[in-house]
Amino acid sequence: MPVDILMPALSPTMEEGTLSKWIKNEGDTVKSGDVIAEIETDKATMEVEAVDEGVIGKILIPAGSEGVKVNSIIAVLLQDGESADALSAPKAAEKQEAASPKVEEAEKPTAQGSASAPVPAAPKAEVAADPDIPAGTEMVSMTVREALRDAMAEEMRRDGDVFIMGEEVAEYQGAYKITQGLLQEFGDKRVIDTPITEHGFAGIGVGAAMSGLKPIVEFMTFNFAMQAIDHIVNSAAKTLYMSGGQMGAPIVFRGPSGAAARVGAQHSQCYAAWYSQIPGLKVVMPYTAADAKGLLKAAIRDPNPVVFLENEILYGHSFEVPKLDDLVLPIGKARIHRRGKDATLVSFGIGMTYAIKAVAELEKEGIDVELIDLRTIRPMDLPTIIESVKKTGRLVTVEEGFPQSSVGDFIANRVHREAFDYLDAPVVTIAGKDVPMPYAANLEKLALPNVGEVVEAVKAVCYK
Amino acid sequence: MAPRKTASTSSRKAAAKPARNDSIGSNSLVFTREEELHAYREMLLIRRFEEKAGQLYGMGVIGGFCHLYIGQEAVVVGMQMAQKDGDQVITSYRDHGHMIALGMSARGVMSELTGRRGGLSKGKGGSMHMFSKEKGFYGGHGIVGGQVSLGTGLAFANKYRGNDQVSVTYFGDGAANQGQVYESFNMAALWKLPVVYIIENNRYAMGTSTARSTAQSNFAKRGEGFGIPGVQVDGMDVRAVKAAADEAIAHCRAGKGPYILEMLTYRYRGHSMSDPAKYRSKDEVQKMRSEHDPLEQVKARLLEQGWASEDDLKQIDKDVRDIVADSAEFAQADPEPDVSELYTDILL
C-alpha cells in the first residue's frame, strides 16, 4: 500500500501552513530521516523529514501552496514494487483542494480541530467604530502578531532609548515570531537575546528603566514571569511611590498569557487578575490587532510600568487595522465593540472570542447585547461599564482566568456598589474552571469557558 | 574569621597579577592628611547619625524596621572616595550610611526615618526606601538580593548609553545566596557591564552566621564560574577599601566588565533595632570594636602622624554632632505628610 505523507502540525496552535519548498521530487528515493520538504508556519520555517522509506510517487501539494491544512495529504510514498500509476486520480484531485489560497476575513479565528476546539469560529459581529480612530480611515488586514511587531518597530525608530530584551527575541526572531525582523533593522545593541533567566533580566530591565531607558521586556510566556514577578511588583510598580515621585520605571513587560492549546497546567495561566491588583502598574490585554498596535505603542511611551498581556491563539488572528502613521490608543479606555440594549457583556483578550459568538447567537434569539471590550484591566474603565449597565440593567463578564478573585468578580463588586439600583438581575461572572489546566483535549475544553455558557448566562440575567 | 589586614586575591584572573596583593597592603595605602581627615569625618557622621537613629527608634519616634550601619562605615566611605560624579549607587535596606556618604542631606534621611514630609521620599518610603536622582542613589531595597539585578540594569544602561559611568552595587553575605545574584553575574560578565559588586560580609545574614548558611564562605570567589575577578578586602580599613575600589572601578571604566569586592566587615548592632543579637558572643563584638574599629584606626593614625590634635578631633566630633542634632530636631518638628499624599506618586 502506498503511504500518505501528511501535512504535519509543528506547534501547539498550528492549524495550517505554507508548503514552501519540496526538497525531494517525484521519483526520488527517500529513507526515514531524509528532509523531503520545507514548511512555513506563522512562527517558523521547518523541515519535514520522511518517516518511512520508499519512492516519492506523487506530489499532491505543489511548492508555494499556502493555507495547507494540518493532516491533509501532501504526497504519496510508494513502497517496494509499487507504481505511481496505481494511485487513483480522484484522491489526488480531492487533496488539491486543501491548497486553495486562504480567504482573508475581517476576523479570522484559528479554525480548531474538532476535539480540541476551545475557540469556535467567530461569525462577523457588528463592530462599533472606535471613536479614537478618525472616521473614514483606510483599513488594512493584519494579524495581531504583525501589529505587535510594527508597534515595537515604529517606537524603536522614534526613540533610541527603546530597546527589547528577552529569550529568543533576536537571532531566533521571537519564539512566537513577534520580534521578526527587529534584529535586522535595529541591531544587537537594541534587540537583545537574554539567557533563560527571567528573574535576572526582569531586574536588569527595571534597573535600566530606573535610569531612564525604556525597555520592552518580552517573556516567552507570562507563566515564566512568575520567576520575575518580584521585580514587576516590588521594583517596577512601587518605586515611584517609595521615592516620593523622584523616579519610576518606564518599562513594558509583554508576552503571551493564558491558555494556548494543549500545553498543560504550567503554560496556560491567565495573569490579568493577578497584575490588576497592583497599584503602580498599568495592565493592558488587547483583543484586536488594532488595539494591540495602538495600545502597545501607548504602553512603550507611557512613563509607568505596563504589563501587556497577549495571547498565543490570537497572534495569528487577522483584523482590520487603521492605516495611520502613528496609531496610539488610550490606555485605560474600554471600547464598545457592539452597541445593544438588552444586556451588557464585558470581556477582554481572548475572552472576546466567546463573547462575540455568543452575541451572534443571542441576536438570533432576539436578545440585543452591548459588548464591551475592556482592553485595559488597570486602570479599569468602570464608567463605561456602569453607563452601559444603567442602560441595560444586566451584566455578564467573560474571561479565561481562574474564577476566584477574577477580573469579573471585581467588576461585579463595583457594579453592585455603584449601580445596584439599576440592576434587574445579579451579575454573572464567567471564568475558567477552578482547576489547573488539564492536558486531555476534552478536559481542556471543559476547563475553559464556552459559548454556550455565555449564551445561557445572558439569557439567565434577561430571565429568558 | 577576623577581617584580614591584607586582602587576598582569590580569582585566577586577579591572582595572575601578583602586584595586586601589595596594592592592597598597608605599604601603598598611605592616605594624605586630607584623605584621612575626610574619611574620619564621613565615618563619624555616619556613626553619630546611626546612634541618634537608634536612640529615636527607642523613643518610638522612628517606627517599623531600622537597620543600623554602625561598624561598617569604612566600606561606603572608602568606596565613595573612589567614585566620581555620575556613578550610580544601589543597596539593600541597610542604607542610611550609603546616603550619608553620597552627601544626601542628614535632615532628609532622618525625617524619612520619622516618616515626615521633609523626608527624601516625602515620608512614604521609610528607612529602607530612599532615592536621589541628583546623587545617583537608586535605593534602598527591601527584598534581599533585588538590588543586585537592578544595579546590573543600571550598568546595562551605562553601556547602552556608551558613557564611562559605573554602577556600584552593594549587597550582603545573606543576599549572596539568592539566585538572581548569579543570574546577574552571568549577564554582567556576558555583556561586560560596568558594575562593581560589593559584598558586605558582616558575617551574619540576620541571625544566621556565614558558617551556617554558605557552602563557600569566600564570597570573592562567587564570580569565578563566570570569570569575574574578585578580591577579599579588609572592610574595617578605609584605606584598603579605597585601594580596592580604585582598582575595581578602573577595571569597570575600562570596559572590562564586572568586578567583585568582598568587604570583610562587622556590624556592631543587631540585624535591626529589634534584634538582641544573641547568636553571637559579647566578646566577639567587643573584640571587633577594640581591635578593628574603622574610626579608631584612622584616629590613631591622625594622632600618630601629628596631623590632628585631640582638640582638632573633638572639634570634628562637635561639628558632626551638630549636624546630627539638627537633623533629629528637624525630623521631629517636621509635620507628617499631608493626607493628600496617600494617593500621589502612584502613576505618572
Side-chain angles (χ1 to χ4, degrees), chain B residues 171-186:
Chain B
F171 55 105
D173 48 283
N177 293 324
Q178 287 279 23
Q180 67 176 308
V181 170
Y182 302 93
E183 298 187 26
S184 301
F185 281 4
N186 181 39

Side-chain angles (χ1 to χ4, degrees), chain B residues 12 78 101 110 133 138 158 174 232 238 258 294 308 334 341 345:
Chain B
R12 276 177 298 152
M110 196 66 94
K133 214 167 212 174
Y138 288 82
N158 291 336
Q232 284 187 317
V238 69
D334 194 33
E341 286 291 344
D345 305 322

Side-chain angles (χ1 to χ4, degrees), chain B residues 154-230:
Chain B
L154 296 170
F156 176 94
N158 291 336
K159 175 140 193 196
Y160 188 91
R161 293 188 167 109
N163 62 35
D164 73 341
Q165 294 164 5
V166 173
S167 164
V168 179
T169 298
Y170 291 87
F171 55 105
D173 48 283
N177 293 324
Q178 287 279 23
Q180 67 176 308
V181 170
Y182 302 93
E183 298 187 26
S184 301
F185 281 4
N186 181 39
M187 286 179 276
L190 183 67
W191 298 333
K192 289 207 178 334
L193 303 181
V195 51
V196 182
Y197 295 113
I198 298 137
I199 305 175
E200 296 193 70
N201 179 2
N202 65 17
R203 302 203 212 170
Y204 296 92
M206 195 166 159
T208 305
S209 69
T210 51
R212 293 200 297 124
S213 63
T214 72
Q216 168 55 278
S217 59
N218 184 332
F219 292 95
K221 288 188 175 180
R222 291 287 183 99
E224 267 188 2
F226 308 97
I228 304 175

Side-chain angles (χ1 to χ4, degrees), chain A residues 251-263:
Chain A
I251 186 169
V252 176
F253 301 101
R254 50 154 292 272
S257 166
R262 311 282 311 278
V263 293

Side-chain angles (χ1 to χ4, degrees), chain A residues 310-445:
Chain A
E310 301 158 8
N311 184 280
E312 191 189 332
I313 290 169
L314 292 179
Y315 281 153
H317 284 214
S318 294
F319 294 86
E320 294 293 303
V321 176
K323 198 174 171 185
L324 294 171
D325 286 342
D326 197 18
L327 173 65
V328 181
L329 293 170
I331 292 174
K333 212 166 146 190
R335 181 174 52 81
I336 296 174
H337 190 85
R338 177 191 191 274
R339 295 201 178 274
K341 60 180 190 334
D342 296 334
T344 301
L345 189 54
V346 175
S347 190
F348 50 91
I350 194 161
M352 286 293 290
T353 58
Y354 307 101
I356 287 166
K357 285 155 216 154
V359 166
E361 289 200 21
L362 289 158
E363 194 177 12
K364 288 181 214 154
E365 302 190 32
I367 299 174
D368 183 22
V369 177
E370 178 140 304
L371 174 56
I372 296 173
D373 180 355
L374 267 186
R375 304 196 290 189
T376 302
I377 315 299
R378 179 187 189 93
M380 193 182 285
D381 186 0
L382 283 163
T384 293
I385 299 172
I386 285 165
E387 278 315 300
S388 178
V389 169
K390 283 181 177 174
K391 183 173 68 178
T392 64
R394 299 148 207 281
L395 175 63
V396 173
T397 67
V398 189
E399 69 199 284
E400 276 196 352
F402 293 133
Q404 184 165 332
S405 305
S406 64
V407 174
D409 280 3
F410 172 73
I411 295 170
N413 172 281
R414 295 299 294 267
V415 168
H416 281 140
R417 274 162 53 184
E418 294 174 35
F420 185 77
D421 290 344
Y422 295 88
L423 283 173
D424 293 321
V427 177
V428 175
T429 60
I430 290 176
K433 306 304 180 292
D434 206 10
V435 297
M437 185 62 75
Y439 168 71
N442 63 331
L443 298 183
E444 183 183 64
K445 193 177 172 190

Side-chain angles (χ1 to χ4, degrees), chain B residues 277-288:
Chain B
K278 296 216 165 132
Y279 41 81
R280 61 187 188 187
S281 70
K282 284 213 165 68
D283 285 351
E284 179 184 302
V285 181
Q286 197 46 49
K287 195 169 155 60
M288 289 301 295

